[in-house]
Amino acid sequence: MMTAMETFTPGQQKDLKVLIDFVRVYCHASHDPAAREPFAVPPELEGRYRKGVSLCPACAALLSHGIAKRRKCPLDPKPSCKHCRIHCYSTEYRTKIREVMAFSGRRMIMRGRLDYLWHYFF
């Protein structure tokens, strides 16, 4: 159970919604549906994902790592990753998250999610 010190701020919740959506789109388009398992989203975001989130083990590990890094980020407000002076992710994770963001960002914008276009530029 999370304490008051461990809850996400509204800005962190917004960032995590974007991250979860991007990883979910990437995983569902790139990996075998049979390998997916339910992923436990942070309690603050459960209302947004009532149907749940299912991911393959590799994407679940990437998302768990991203959530942990976002929780520990010392910057407030946090800039987008491409404008950040502190890189949370190790080289291995940074390469993978860039791949996920590039793939999912294009796909979501082509499907009419213009709010992600706003996130991309700002």
Side-chain angles (χ1 to χ4, degrees):
M1 191 88 190
M2 292 165 102
T3 65
M5 293 291 290
E6 295 176 329
T7 59
F8 290 110
T9 66
Q12 288 174 322
Q13 288 180 26
K14 179 183 169 201
D15 290 346
L16 291 176
K17 285 177 195 174
V18 170
L19 183 62
I20 292 168
D21 289 344
F22 275 43
V23 172
R24 186 176 58 175
V25 166
Y26 177 81
C27 185
H28 284 239
S30 304
H31 299 126
D32 182 20
R36 293 187 204 131
E37 298 175 359
F39 180 82
V41 297
E44 298 93 338
L45 301 174
E46 285 177 350
R48 177 172 169 91
Y49 300 101
R50 290 189 182 126
K51 293 182 181 179
V53 175
S54 60
L55 301 171
C56 71
C59 288
L62 178 67
L63 184 54
S64 293
H65 183 75
I67 290 170
K69 292 295 184 176
R70 183 61 184 106
R71 180 184 304 280
K72 294 178 184 180
C73 182
L75 302 177
D76 187 31
K78 182 191 180 314
S80 64
C81 292
K82 65 183 174 187
H83 298 295
C84 191
R85 59 183 167 79
I86 302 172
H87 292 291
C88 301
Y89 299 102
S90 65
T91 306
E92 170 190 332
Y93 279 106
R94 194 175 324 155
T95 302
K96 188 64 177 173
I97 205 72
R98 281 183 180 158
E99 179 185 334
V100 167
M101 292 288 183
F103 177 87
S104 298
R106 283 191 299 267
R107 184 166 272 209
M108 293 176 99
I109 290 168
M110 289 180 351
R111 291 185 176 177
R113 293 296 308 264
L114 298 179
D115 54 329
Y116 289 110
L117 184 61
W118 180 262
H119 178 80
Y120 178 76
F121 287 112
F122 303 101

